[in-house]
Amino acid sequence: ILLAARDSTVFSRIRNILADTGAAFHLGYAETPEDASISLIEANWDVCLVDTSLEQTAIASVVAELALGCVGTPIIVLAGDKTAGLSHRLEQAGAMDVLNRSSLSPAVLQVSIHYALKNQRYQEGLRASKDELIKQLLDVQEAMARLHTQGEDYAELVEHLAEARDRAESSESRYRTLTE
């Protein structure tokens, strides 16, 4: 789990809350949006927790940038009481969930992380299904192109056979005339 927060006390609090869940985890820390972006690109984080202390004024744009940079990594925003009304904007920007930092409990954080990871697996499954569907559609298009080419070849063959039949009938007619 990567925690992006300017306030190091948030790191200590989240580490303690995660320890209280009883789950095994590794908690990383980034103090700036840039550090968080780099860490998300370089390391394989399962979840990114973004605290609103990271960037109070434009937290939605920070979340949007992180979401673009770490496609597939769920982002959970830890909001203070003053930013709790931004939930809808943050979710539109790419946050999987928005939790109130002041009332955060181990159970709430654990459930949020669980659902974020579950959603991530579903998204990966959907992407894989979409990729497979695209591959199948391309195969169908290729088969249709081959069929179209074969149809043109068949039409050309029928035309050649008709011409050959006409020549054979003409030749037979001349032969009969000559024979008579």
Side-chain angles (χ1 to χ4, degrees):
I1 298 171
L2 176 66
L3 172 64
R6 280 203 202 283
D7 187 356
S8 61
T9 59
V10 174
F11 177 78
S12 299
R13 182 159 185 252
I14 296 302
R15 185 181 58 216
N16 292 337
I17 289 173
L18 287 170
D20 289 344
T21 65
F25 64 91
H26 170 73
L27 184 62
Y29 182 60
E31 280 188 277
T32 66
E34 296 79 21
D35 291 345
S37 291
I38 291 168
S39 186
L40 284 167
I41 291 168
E42 290 177 351
N44 190 20
W45 296 101
D46 293 324
V47 176
C48 180
L49 301 176
V50 177
D51 188 73
T52 54
S53 70
L54 192 65
E55 190 73 36
Q56 282 287 353
T57 55
I59 190 66
S61 63
V62 169
V63 168
E65 287 178 34
L66 290 175
L68 283 175
C70 67
V71 175
T73 302
I75 297 174
I76 299 171
V77 175
L78 304 174
D81 293 328
K82 295 177 184 175
T83 55
L86 294 174
S87 294
H88 184 66
R89 254 185 46 209
L90 292 169
E91 288 172 356
Q92 284 181 327
M96 185 75 60
D97 200 358
V98 180
L99 304 175
N100 188 327
R101 186 182 340 108
S102 61
S103 62
L104 192 60
S105 69
V108 169
L109 185 57
Q110 187 174 17
V111 167
S112 182
I113 290 171
H114 170 77
Y115 282 114
L117 292 172
K118 193 174 187 178
N119 187 296
Q120 178 189 22
R121 285 192 300 272
Y122 287 138
Q123 294 294 330
E124 288 170 356
L126 286 173
R127 275 192 288 279
S129 296
K130 178 183 169 188
D131 292 345
E132 181 61 29
L133 183 59
I134 288 171
K135 182 184 174 297
Q136 289 175 357
L137 287 173
L138 291 173
D139 289 348
V140 167
Q141 285 178 334
E142 185 181 316
M144 288 177 66
R146 282 194 313 265
L147 185 60
H148 180 73
T149 301
Q150 289 173 350
E152 288 175 346
D153 292 346
Y154 179 75
E156 192 176 307
L157 179 62
V158 168
E159 189 176 313
H160 285 300
L161 287 173
E163 289 172 4
R165 187 191 68 225
D166 290 345
R167 283 193 306 271
E169 286 176 356
S170 174
S171 178
E172 181 185 354
S173 174
R174 278 185 277 141
Y175 177 73
R176 273 197 192 143
T177 304
L178 181 64
T179 304
E180 288 175 0

